[in-house]
Amino acid sequence: MEVHLFVRKNKDDKTSKEFYYLGNMQAEIDKTKQFVMPNTQKTAVEILWQLDTPVREDIYRYIVEE
């Protein structure tokens, strides 16, 4: 299955709803785990993802900094 990662710099931004494409990613199958969600009886799966190509440092800083 192909999974693509898109992120938004600020989800609360009222004017710009731009998403940035960071590339394909793969699930680390041996690092998945099932758990019970807090205050419920429902289960979910936590998945660790690995980008095929690492994000450039300047792009990462732009996305995470104010």
Side-chain angles (χ1 to χ4, degrees), residues 2-11 17-26 49 51-53 55 59 63:
E2 229 176 273
V3 180
H4 301 270
L5 178 61
F6 292 84
V7 298
R8 217 171 23 176
K9 181 172 173 66
N10 180 352
K11 69 180 180 116
K17 301 290 185 194
E18 293 177 341
F19 283 83
Y20 299 94
Y21 177 69
L22 297 183
N24 287 334
M25 58 186 191
Q26 309 295 322
W49 294 93
L51 282 168
D52 291 346
T53 304
V55 177
I59 295 171
I63 291 171

mmCIF file of all heavy atoms in Angstrom, residues 2-11 17-26 49 51-53 55 59 63:
data_model
loop_
_atom_site.group_PDB
_atom_site.id
_atom_site.type_symbol
_atom_site.label_atom_id
_atom_site.label_comp_id
_atom_site.label_asym_id
_atom_site.label_seq_id
_atom_site.Cartn_x
_atom_site.Cartn_y
_atom_site.Cartn_z
ATOM 1 N N GLU A 2 0.558 2.191 -0.829
ATOM 2 C CA GLU A 2 1.316 3.435 -0.896
ATOM 3 C C GLU A 2 0.660 4.475 0.007
ATOM 4 O O GLU A 2 -0.541 4.694 -0.057
ATOM 5 C CB GLU A 2 1.325 3.956 -2.330
ATOM 6 C CG GLU A 2 2.694 4.317 -2.818
ATOM 7 C CD GLU A 2 2.681 4.732 -4.261
ATOM 8 O OE1 GLU A 2 2.786 3.842 -5.122
ATOM 9 O OE2 GLU A 2 2.568 5.943 -4.506
ATOM 10 N N VAL A 3 1.469 5.105 0.867
ATOM 11 C CA VAL A 3 0.964 6.143 1.774
ATOM 12 C C VAL A 3 1.805 7.396 1.566
ATOM 13 O O VAL A 3 3.035 7.325 1.568
ATOM 14 C CB VAL A 3 1.031 5.678 3.248
ATOM 15 C CG1 VAL A 3 0.521 6.758 4.167
ATOM 16 C CG2 VAL A 3 0.247 4.391 3.440
ATOM 17 N N HIS A 4 1.143 8.521 1.399
ATOM 18 C CA HIS A 4 1.818 9.802 1.176
ATOM 19 C C HIS A 4 1.573 10.701 2.385
ATOM 20 O O HIS A 4 0.466 10.733 2.922
ATOM 21 C CB HIS A 4 1.276 10.488 -0.085
ATOM 22 C CG HIS A 4 1.452 9.665 -1.308
ATOM 23 N ND1 HIS A 4 2.575 9.736 -2.095
ATOM 24 C CD2 HIS A 4 0.666 8.727 -1.879
ATOM 25 C CE1 HIS A 4 2.460 8.889 -3.098
ATOM 26 N NE2 HIS A 4 1.306 8.265 -2.988
ATOM 27 N N LEU A 5 2.599 11.441 2.792
ATOM 28 C CA LEU A 5 2.485 12.324 3.946
ATOM 29 C C LEU A 5 2.360 13.777 3.494
ATOM 30 O O LEU A 5 3.221 14.310 2.792
ATOM 31 C CB LEU A 5 3.709 12.173 4.859
ATOM 32 C CG LEU A 5 3.737 13.081 6.086
ATOM 33 C CD1 LEU A 5 2.541 12.812 7.003
ATOM 34 C CD2 LEU A 5 5.043 12.904 6.840
ATOM 35 N N PHE A 6 1.251 14.404 3.904
ATOM 36 C CA PHE A 6 1.021 15.832 3.705
ATOM 37 C C PHE A 6 0.883 16.454 5.087
ATOM 38 O O PHE A 6 0.208 15.883 5.951
ATOM 39 C CB PHE A 6 -0.274 16.078 2.919
ATOM 40 C CG PHE A 6 -0.219 15.612 1.495
ATOM 41 C CD1 PHE A 6 -0.470 14.295 1.165
ATOM 42 C CD2 PHE A 6 0.078 16.507 0.482
ATOM 43 C CE1 PHE A 6 -0.437 13.863 -0.148
ATOM 44 C CE2 PHE A 6 0.113 16.092 -0.851
ATOM 45 C CZ PHE A 6 -0.142 14.755 -1.159
ATOM 46 N N VAL A 7 1.511 17.593 5.321
ATOM 47 C CA VAL A 7 1.396 18.268 6.616
ATOM 48 C C VAL A 7 1.033 19.724 6.394
ATOM 49 O O VAL A 7 1.288 20.296 5.333
ATOM 50 C CB VAL A 7 2.695 18.175 7.452
ATOM 51 C CG1 VAL A 7 3.033 16.740 7.786
ATOM 52 C CG2 VAL A 7 3.849 18.850 6.758
ATOM 53 N N ARG A 8 0.436 20.299 7.425
ATOM 54 C CA ARG A 8 0.107 21.720 7.409
ATOM 55 C C ARG A 8 0.943 22.399 8.470
ATOM 56 O O ARG A 8 1.123 21.873 9.562
ATOM 57 C CB ARG A 8 -1.385 21.889 7.736
ATOM 58 C CG ARG A 8 -2.014 22.973 6.987
ATOM 59 C CD ARG A 8 -3.488 23.076 7.070
ATOM 60 N NE ARG A 8 -4.150 22.481 8.205
ATOM 61 C CZ ARG A 8 -5.435 22.579 8.430
ATOM 62 N NH1 ARG A 8 -6.194 23.253 7.598
ATOM 63 N NH2 ARG A 8 -5.977 22.022 9.471
ATOM 64 N N LYS A 9 1.463 23.564 8.176
ATOM 65 C CA LYS A 9 2.312 24.280 9.127
ATOM 66 C C LYS A 9 1.539 24.659 10.378
ATOM 67 O O LYS A 9 2.016 24.514 11.492
ATOM 68 C CB LYS A 9 2.914 25.528 8.469
ATOM 69 C CG LYS A 9 3.822 26.317 9.392
ATOM 70 C CD LYS A 9 4.533 27.416 8.628
ATOM 71 C CE LYS A 9 5.311 28.324 9.515
ATOM 72 N NZ LYS A 9 6.433 27.721 10.196
ATOM 73 N N ASN A 10 0.319 25.145 10.210
ATOM 74 C CA ASN A 10 -0.466 25.594 11.360
ATOM 75 C C ASN A 10 -1.932 25.290 11.094
ATOM 76 O O ASN A 10 -2.556 25.913 10.249
ATOM 77 C CB ASN A 10 -0.263 27.097 11.566
ATOM 78 C CG ASN A 10 -1.047 27.635 12.738
ATOM 79 O OD1 ASN A 10 -1.865 26.943 13.336
ATOM 80 N ND2 ASN A 10 -0.820 28.884 13.069
ATOM 81 N N LYS A 11 -2.496 24.353 11.833
ATOM 82 C CA LYS A 11 -3.893 23.973 11.596
ATOM 83 C C LYS A 11 -4.878 25.060 11.982
ATOM 84 O O LYS A 11 -6.022 25.037 11.554
ATOM 85 C CB LYS A 11 -4.232 22.678 12.329
ATOM 86 C CG LYS A 11 -4.276 22.820 13.827
ATOM 87 C CD LYS A 11 -4.616 21.496 14.481
ATOM 88 C CE LYS A 11 -4.652 21.661 15.969
ATOM 89 N NZ LYS A 11 -5.911 21.445 16.541
ATOM 90 N N LYS A 17 -4.530 27.599 4.052
ATOM 91 C CA LYS A 17 -4.767 26.187 4.392
ATOM 92 C C LYS A 17 -3.820 25.302 3.584
ATOM 93 O O LYS A 17 -4.181 24.216 3.154
ATOM 94 C CB LYS A 17 -6.221 25.808 4.099
ATOM 95 C CG LYS A 17 -7.236 26.627 4.845
ATOM 96 C CD LYS A 17 -7.222 26.286 6.307
ATOM 97 C CE LYS A 17 -8.331 27.046 7.015
ATOM 98 N NZ LYS A 17 -8.217 27.035 8.431
ATOM 99 N N GLU A 18 -2.592 25.777 3.381
ATOM 100 C CA GLU A 18 -1.640 25.057 2.544
ATOM 101 C C GLU A 18 -1.130 23.790 3.213
ATOM 102 O O GLU A 18 -0.824 23.773 4.402
ATOM 103 C CB GLU A 18 -0.442 25.950 2.221
ATOM 104 C CG GLU A 18 -0.796 27.120 1.342
ATOM 105 C CD GLU A 18 0.395 28.020 1.090
ATOM 106 O OE1 GLU A 18 1.377 27.946 1.852
ATOM 107 O OE2 GLU A 18 0.345 28.795 0.128
ATOM 108 N N PHE A 19 -1.022 22.737 2.405
ATOM 109 C CA PHE A 19 -0.415 21.493 2.846
ATOM 110 C C PHE A 19 0.901 21.333 2.103
ATOM 111 O O PHE A 19 1.031 21.749 0.951
ATOM 112 C CB PHE A 19 -1.326 20.301 2.527
ATOM 113 C CG PHE A 19 -2.469 20.164 3.478
ATOM 114 C CD1 PHE A 19 -3.624 20.908 3.310
ATOM 115 C CD2 PHE A 19 -2.389 19.290 4.549
ATOM 116 C CE1 PHE A 19 -4.691 20.778 4.185
ATOM 117 C CE2 PHE A 19 -3.439 19.162 5.436
ATOM 118 C CZ PHE A 19 -4.593 19.903 5.251
ATOM 119 N N TYR A 20 1.868 20.724 2.760
ATOM 120 C CA TYR A 20 3.175 20.476 2.160
ATOM 121 C C TYR A 20 3.352 18.969 2.015
ATOM 122 O O TYR A 20 3.122 18.213 2.963
ATOM 123 C CB TYR A 20 4.289 21.059 3.033
ATOM 124 C CG TYR A 20 4.144 22.552 3.184
ATOM 125 C CD1 TYR A 20 3.480 23.097 4.272
ATOM 126 C CD2 TYR A 20 4.637 23.410 2.211
ATOM 127 C CE1 TYR A 20 3.321 24.470 4.393
ATOM 128 C CE2 TYR A 20 4.484 24.785 2.326
ATOM 129 C CZ TYR A 20 3.823 25.303 3.421
ATOM 130 O OH TYR A 20 3.663 26.651 3.536
ATOM 131 N N TYR A 21 3.751 18.552 0.840
ATOM 132 C CA TYR A 21 3.965 17.133 0.565
ATOM 133 C C TYR A 21 5.376 16.759 0.992
ATOM 134 O O TYR A 21 6.353 17.353 0.543
ATOM 135 C CB TYR A 21 3.781 16.856 -0.932
ATOM 136 C CG TYR A 21 4.043 15.429 -1.310
ATOM 137 C CD1 TYR A 21 3.181 14.421 -0.900
ATOM 138 C CD2 TYR A 21 5.148 15.088 -2.073
ATOM 139 C CE1 TYR A 21 3.409 13.105 -1.253
ATOM 140 C CE2 TYR A 21 5.388 13.780 -2.435
ATOM 141 C CZ TYR A 21 4.517 12.791 -2.023
ATOM 142 O OH TYR A 21 4.749 11.485 -2.357
ATOM 143 N N LEU A 22 5.480 15.758 1.876
ATOM 144 C CA LEU A 22 6.791 15.348 2.375
ATOM 145 C C LEU A 22 7.251 14.015 1.794
ATOM 146 O O LEU A 22 8.377 13.596 2.044
ATOM 147 C CB LEU A 22 6.797 15.294 3.895
ATOM 148 C CG LEU A 22 6.550 16.630 4.587
ATOM 149 C CD1 LEU A 22 6.640 16.481 6.091
ATOM 150 C CD2 LEU A 22 7.517 17.700 4.101
ATOM 151 N N GLY A 23 6.400 13.324 1.050
ATOM 152 C CA GLY A 23 6.838 12.110 0.373
ATOM 153 C C GLY A 23 6.098 10.857 0.782
ATOM 154 O O GLY A 23 5.148 10.886 1.563
ATOM 155 N N ASN A 24 6.563 9.741 0.201
ATOM 156 C CA ASN A 24 6.013 8.421 0.537
ATOM 157 C C ASN A 24 6.540 7.965 1.880
ATOM 158 O O ASN A 24 7.657 8.330 2.282
ATOM 159 C CB ASN A 24 6.441 7.376 -0.491
ATOM 160 C CG ASN A 24 5.736 7.532 -1.805
ATOM 161 O OD1 ASN A 24 4.632 8.057 -1.881
ATOM 162 N ND2 ASN A 24 6.373 7.080 -2.858
ATOM 163 N N MET A 25 5.761 7.135 2.555
ATOM 164 C CA MET A 25 6.235 6.562 3.814
ATOM 165 C C MET A 25 5.768 5.125 3.925
ATOM 166 O O MET A 25 4.792 4.723 3.294
ATOM 167 C CB MET A 25 5.797 7.401 5.002
ATOM 168 C CG MET A 25 4.335 7.606 5.150
ATOM 169 S SD MET A 25 4.039 8.760 6.502
ATOM 170 C CE MET A 25 2.285 8.554 6.673
ATOM 171 N N GLN A 26 6.499 4.372 4.720
ATOM 172 C CA GLN A 26 6.219 2.950 4.925
ATOM 173 C C GLN A 26 5.997 2.692 6.406
ATOM 174 O O GLN A 26 6.662 3.284 7.259
ATOM 175 C CB GLN A 26 7.412 2.095 4.461
ATOM 176 C CG GLN A 26 7.905 2.391 3.069
ATOM 177 C CD GLN A 26 6.890 2.062 2.005
ATOM 178 O OE1 GLN A 26 6.191 1.072 2.110
ATOM 179 N NE2 GLN A 26 6.813 2.908 0.992
ATOM 180 N N TRP A 49 5.869 5.184 11.419
ATOM 181 C CA TRP A 49 6.067 5.373 9.988
ATOM 182 C C TRP A 49 7.489 5.836 9.710
ATOM 183 O O TRP A 49 8.087 6.547 10.498
ATOM 184 C CB TRP A 49 5.082 6.419 9.455
ATOM 185 C CG TRP A 49 3.660 5.982 9.528
ATOM 186 C CD1 TRP A 49 2.791 6.229 10.549
ATOM 187 C CD2 TRP A 49 2.951 5.204 8.575
ATOM 188 N NE1 TRP A 49 1.573 5.663 10.271
ATOM 189 C CE2 TRP A 49 1.648 5.023 9.061
ATOM 190 C CE3 TRP A 49 3.282 4.650 7.345
ATOM 191 C CZ2 TRP A 49 0.678 4.319 8.366
ATOM 192 C CZ3 TRP A 49 2.320 3.944 6.648
ATOM 193 C CH2 TRP A 49 1.030 3.781 7.157
ATOM 194 N N LEU A 51 9.630 7.738 6.591
ATOM 195 C CA LEU A 51 9.626 8.380 5.275
ATOM 196 C C LEU A 51 10.672 7.725 4.381
ATOM 197 O O LEU A 51 11.763 7.376 4.839
ATOM 198 C CB LEU A 51 9.942 9.870 5.402
ATOM 199 C CG LEU A 51 8.803 10.761 5.862
ATOM 200 C CD1 LEU A 51 9.324 12.144 6.229
ATOM 201 C CD2 LEU A 51 7.742 10.872 4.780
ATOM 202 N N ASP A 52 10.339 7.568 3.097
ATOM 203 C CA ASP A 52 11.299 6.997 2.148
ATOM 204 C C ASP A 52 12.515 7.905 1.997
ATOM 205 O O ASP A 52 13.641 7.430 1.865
ATOM 206 C CB ASP A 52 10.651 6.789 0.780
ATOM 207 C CG ASP A 52 9.602 5.681 0.795
ATOM 208 O OD1 ASP A 52 9.549 4.908 1.767
ATOM 209 O OD2 ASP A 52 8.831 5.596 -0.181
ATOM 210 N N THR A 53 12.285 9.218 2.012
ATOM 211 C CA THR A 53 13.359 10.200 1.909
ATOM 212 C C THR A 53 13.248 11.157 3.093
ATOM 213 O O THR A 53 12.179 11.751 3.291
ATOM 214 C CB THR A 53 13.239 11.014 0.597
ATOM 215 O OG1 THR A 53 13.218 10.103 -0.507
ATOM 216 C CG2 THR A 53 14.376 11.996 0.443
ATOM 217 N N VAL A 55 13.199 14.362 5.508
ATOM 218 C CA VAL A 55 12.848 15.766 5.263
ATOM 219 C C VAL A 55 14.108 16.612 5.415
ATOM 220 O O VAL A 55 14.861 16.438 6.379
ATOM 221 C CB VAL A 55 11.766 16.233 6.267
ATOM 222 C CG1 VAL A 55 11.438 17.705 6.074
ATOM 223 C CG2 VAL A 55 10.523 15.376 6.134
ATOM 224 N N ILE A 59 13.461 22.624 5.563
ATOM 225 C CA ILE A 59 12.010 22.454 5.438
ATOM 226 C C ILE A 59 11.412 22.068 6.782
ATOM 227 O O ILE A 59 10.362 22.589 7.176
ATOM 228 C CB ILE A 59 11.680 21.407 4.359
ATOM 229 C CG1 ILE A 59 12.140 21.921 2.999
ATOM 230 C CG2 ILE A 59 10.202 21.055 4.362
ATOM 231 C CD1 ILE A 59 12.063 20.907 1.883
ATOM 232 N N ILE A 63 8.524 24.226 8.947
ATOM 233 C CA ILE A 63 7.219 23.664 9.342
ATOM 234 C C ILE A 63 7.011 23.734 10.853
ATOM 235 O O ILE A 63 5.922 24.067 11.308
ATOM 236 C CB ILE A 63 7.071 22.222 8.822
ATOM 237 C CG1 ILE A 63 6.957 22.243 7.293
ATOM 238 C CG2 ILE A 63 5.861 21.528 9.444
ATOM 239 C CD1 ILE A 63 7.031 20.903 6.645
#
